[in-house]
Amino acid sequence: ILASIRSIRGNTSRTDYELLVVTKIAIADAVAMAPDASGVCFVGYDMALDFSAKCNAGAARATGEYVIFYDDEVRVITPGWIEALLECLQIEGVGAASPKLLYENGRIQHAGLVSGVRRLIGTAFHGLPADTTVHFNFAQSLREVSSLSGACVAMKMALFRAVGGFDAVNTPTDRSDVDLGFRLREAGYRCVYTPHATLLHTGHPSLGVESMNAKGQEQPRKNKADIHLLRRWPNFVARDPFYPPAMKALLYADSPQDFDIYPAPSADQRAGLDVLILSHDLSGSDAPRVLVDMATRLRDAGNLVIVMSPRDGPVRHELVAAGVTV
């Protein structure tokens, strides 16, 4: 925490900001005594690891017109990073802005998020050099993107509150930034990436576990955030209007193989079970025909049904028509 505070205060040209740190009460009490922490507002938070709730708690205490959510493993590289982010928010219709984030080796970690890829969400230009000029210099261009990294994202406070803040129920940690970006787009606002602010993000090792059991072993977190995205945002997850298939085929090195999502016609708010069905293909042969009957009956019984297959085929159209995402 102190390293983050020093990085912001020592490398930021702007001075008219308030700095709020959301952390455990015991840590806050200890860190607040350090000289570097003078003037910092500490917000005690002793609940389980929950990125969304922590951000909401900090925002509730903030008094500024704008809010920047800043991960404690981010370090400032560009002194004018705050000005660069706020400049984006002056553009009509822009709801949120994020900077370029780099790994410690100088390669890109984040230059906007990409939807419609393996694991549903990825990062644009991931792993390329910070100054890459590929695809018409896109990584060095201020541009609209489908969503933004929550490691550093700026918004007008009034808008953040108007859209309900981060969703601590459905996306307590994972996909919290994606869900917020999609809600902004649904409300008619744009998400903007700016290369004119560059920060270092050293990673997030704490996100892999929630707690330790009695034997001191790591307890994996229960995570249904991807299901929430498929349930609430099937069309936004399936297609990225700012990173179309041809562009993805050229640039998306994380997962170059074909990966397509065919969403059910509308967002599914059903309260039943979340059912995943795997099939070897989607041809008109016997097994896929059984799959269609099974998926349709489960869907009609009030469950969310998702089908996955390594091979496309004609029954995919029947499944989608029946309200099943493939």
Side-chain angles (χ1 to χ4, degrees), residues 231 268-273 297-305:
R231 180 193 295 275
D268 195 325
Q269 303 302 322
R270 297 182 172 213
L273 297 173
R297 288 176 180 271
L298 286 167
R299 162 79 183 180
D300 291 345
N303 304 298
L304 172 70
V305 183

Side-chain angles (χ1 to χ4, degrees), residues 86-170:
L86 297 188
E87 180 182 37
C88 296
L89 300 183
Q90 311 313 308
I91 303 172
E92 184 177 357
V94 171
S98 281
K100 180 192 295 180
L101 297 176
L102 303 180
Y103 288 112
E104 291 175 287
N105 63 4
R107 292 185 173 268
I108 294 174
Q109 183 192 56
H110 168 268
L113 297 183
V114 180
S115 55
V117 296
R118 187 173 64 90
R119 297 184 179 176
L120 305 185
I121 305 295
T123 48
F125 306 100
H126 183 248
L128 294 180
D131 59 353
T132 178
T133 60
V134 300
H135 202 74
F136 311 103
N137 217 33
F138 257 37
Q140 316 308 329
S141 303
L142 189 150
R143 68 185 198 285
E144 191 171 353
V145 294
S146 62
S147 197
L148 297 162
S149 171
C152 184
V153 60
M155 293 181 62
K156 289 183 177 179
M157 181 66 82
L159 179 58
F160 176 74
R161 290 171 177 158
V163 298
F166 286 99
D167 185 346
V169 175
N170 295 300

Side-chain angles (χ1 to χ4, degrees), residues 164-201:
F166 286 99
D167 185 346
V169 175
N170 295 300
T171 57
T173 298
D174 295 297
R175 310 308 197 191
S176 53
D177 45 9
V178 177
D179 176 78
L180 180 61
F182 287 174
R183 277 186 281 127
L184 287 171
R185 287 174 54 198
E186 182 183 55
Y189 293 91
R190 292 178 286 166
C191 298
V192 167
Y193 154 81
T194 176
H196 305 303
T198 301
L199 295 93
L200 186 72
H201 193 198

